[in-house]
C-alpha cells in the first residue's frame, strides 16, 4: 500500500510463502499423487505441479522418478512396527511383520509393483525390515545361511502376494463382480467328473479369503524352516 492510497483501502495481500522444498516434501507429495491418481500418474512433472514448482527444482533432492518411487516405498514401510525378537514367538512375529508389510502396500495401491521391481531395496526402512526379519529367523534357531535364504524366500512370497492384490486396485467393483460371475458360470459348465477337485475348491479363491491364504502360505514356509532346527 503506497502513501497515496486512502487509509480505508484494503492493502494488497502478501503472496503466501511456499513451503521449503525438501526430499521429504517431494516423497509425501508423491504418495498423495499415488493415492489420488495411481502409480502411473506419479512423475517428476506431476509431483512438481502439485508442489507448484518446476520439475527442475526437484532434481536437487531426488535424481530420478525411479529414485522417487523407491523413496516412496521406503516411506510406506516406516509405518510398519518392527518386533523385538522373541525365540518363543518367532514364527508369529514373522507373520506379523510380513503381514504388516502387505497391509501397508495394500493401503498404497501400486506401491507393491515398486517393491517387486526393485532388486535390492536399500532405503533405511527397507534395511531395518531386512534386519528385523533376519533377527527373527536367527532367534528361531536358523543358521546365518539358512536365515538369509529363508528371508529371501519369505520376502519374495510377500511381495508377490501384495503385487497380485494390487492388480485389482482401481478396477471398478462392478467389473470385478461381472468377472466373478463369468468365472462362476464357466466353472459351472465344467464336467464334475473331470474337474471334481477344482470345482470343490473354487469358492476358496476370493478377496474374502486373501488374508487366510497369505497366512496359510507363511505357516507352510515357517513350518518347513522350523523343521530345519527341530523347533
Amino acid at each position: 500500500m503506497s502513501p497515496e492510497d486512502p487509509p480505508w483501502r484494503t492493502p494488497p495481500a502478501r503472496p503466501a510463502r511456499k513451503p521449503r522444498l525438501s526430499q521429504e516434501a517431494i516423497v509425501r507429495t508423491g504418495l498423495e499423487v499415488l493415492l489420488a491418481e495411481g502409480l502411473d500418474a506419479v512423475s517428476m512433472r506431476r509431483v512438481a505441479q502439485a508442489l507448484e514448482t518446476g520439475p527442475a527444482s526437484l532434481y536437487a533432492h531426488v535424481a530420478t522418478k525411479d529414485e522417487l518411487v523407491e523413496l516412496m516405498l521406503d516411506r510406506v514401510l516406516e509405518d510398519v512396527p518392527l518386533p523385538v525378537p522373541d525365540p518363543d514367538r518367532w514364527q508369529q512375529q514373522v507373520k506379523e511383520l510380513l503381514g504388516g508389510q502387505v497391509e501397508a502396500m495394500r493401503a498404497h495401491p501400486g506401491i507393491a509393483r515398486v517393491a517387486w521391481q526393485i532388486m535390492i531395496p536399500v532405503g533405511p526402512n527397507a534395511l531395518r525390515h531386512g534386519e528385523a526379519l533376519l533377527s527373527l529367523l536367527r532367534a528361531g534357531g536358523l543358521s546365518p545361511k539358512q536365515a538369509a535364504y529363508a528371508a529371501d524366500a519369505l520376502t519374495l512370497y510377500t511381495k508377490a502376494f501384495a503385487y497380485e492384490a494390487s492388480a485389482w486396485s482401481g478396477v471398478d467393483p462392478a467389473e470385478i463382480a461381472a468377472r466373478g460371475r463369468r468365472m462362476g458360470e464357466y466353472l459351472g459348465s465344467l464336467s464334475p467328473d473331470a474337474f471334481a477337485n477344482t470345482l470343490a475348491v473354487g469358492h476358496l479363491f476370493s478377496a474374502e479369503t486373501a488374508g487366510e491364504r497369505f497366512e496359510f502360505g507363511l505357516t507352510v514356509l515357517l513350518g518347513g524352516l522350523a523343521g530345519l532346527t527341530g523347533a
Side-chain angles (χ1 to χ4, degrees):
M1 189 172 181
S2 70
E4 294 78 17
D5 287 326
W8 58 82
R9 182 163 296 166
T10 303
R14 292 183 178 182
R17 176 177 292 181
K18 294 181 181 178
R20 185 170 181 174
L21 200 59
S22 65
Q23 186 180 92
E24 180 182 356
I26 294 169
V27 172
R28 181 174 63 249
T29 303
L31 287 171
E32 291 171 356
V33 173
L34 171 76
L35 291 173
E37 304 172 30
L39 180 63
D40 290 337
V42 177
S43 67
M44 301 294 274
R45 182 176 298 277
R46 179 66 187 89
V47 171
Q49 180 185 40
L51 288 167
E52 299 182 346
T53 187
S57 62
L58 271 59
Y59 291 106
H61 306 276
V62 179
T64 64
K65 176 189 172 179
D66 288 343
E67 183 180 35
L68 171 59
V69 294
E70 186 170 350
L71 289 167
M72 288 163 54
L73 170 63
D74 201 68
R75 175 60 187 84
V76 167
L77 293 175
E78 184 178 345
D79 294 331
V80 180
L82 301 178
V84 176
D86 179 351
D88 294 329
R89 295 187 62 251
W90 71 275
Q91 294 189 50
Q92 182 60 34
Q93 287 182 306
V94 169
K95 290 181 180 181
E96 292 168 357
L97 174 63
L98 299 182
Q101 292 177 7
V102 169
E103 288 307 310
M105 286 187 279
R106 290 183 65 180
H108 297 80
I111 206 69
R113 193 202 314 172
V114 177
W116 186 253
Q117 292 172 341
I118 297 173
M119 294 297 293
I120 305 176
V122 292
N125 293 306
L127 288 174
R128 292 187 189 102
H129 274 257
E131 178 65 22
L133 180 55
L134 287 168
S135 298
L136 292 174
L137 296 169
R138 294 286 284 135
L142 297 183
S143 70
K145 183 177 182 179
Q146 290 171 335
Y149 290 176
D152 182 52
L154 289 163
T155 300
L156 282 172
Y157 172 68
T158 301
K159 291 192 297 184
F161 194 92
Y163 188 21
E164 182 189 54
S166 72
W168 293 99
S169 64
V171 180
D172 187 341
E175 181 179 347
I176 294 175
R179 289 187 187 184
R181 286 194 298 272
R182 289 197 298 270
M183 182 59 70
E185 292 168 359
Y186 172 66
L187 290 175
S189 70
L190 297 177
S191 166
D193 295 327
F195 299 97
N197 292 300
T198 300
L199 296 174
V201 303
H203 68 285
L204 297 175
F205 294 94
S206 67
E208 288 71 26
T209 64
E212 184 179 355
R213 287 184 283 115
F214 177 66
E215 183 168 355
F216 177 81
L218 288 180
T219 298
V220 171
L221 290 169
L222 292 170
L225 292 173
L228 297 176
T229 66

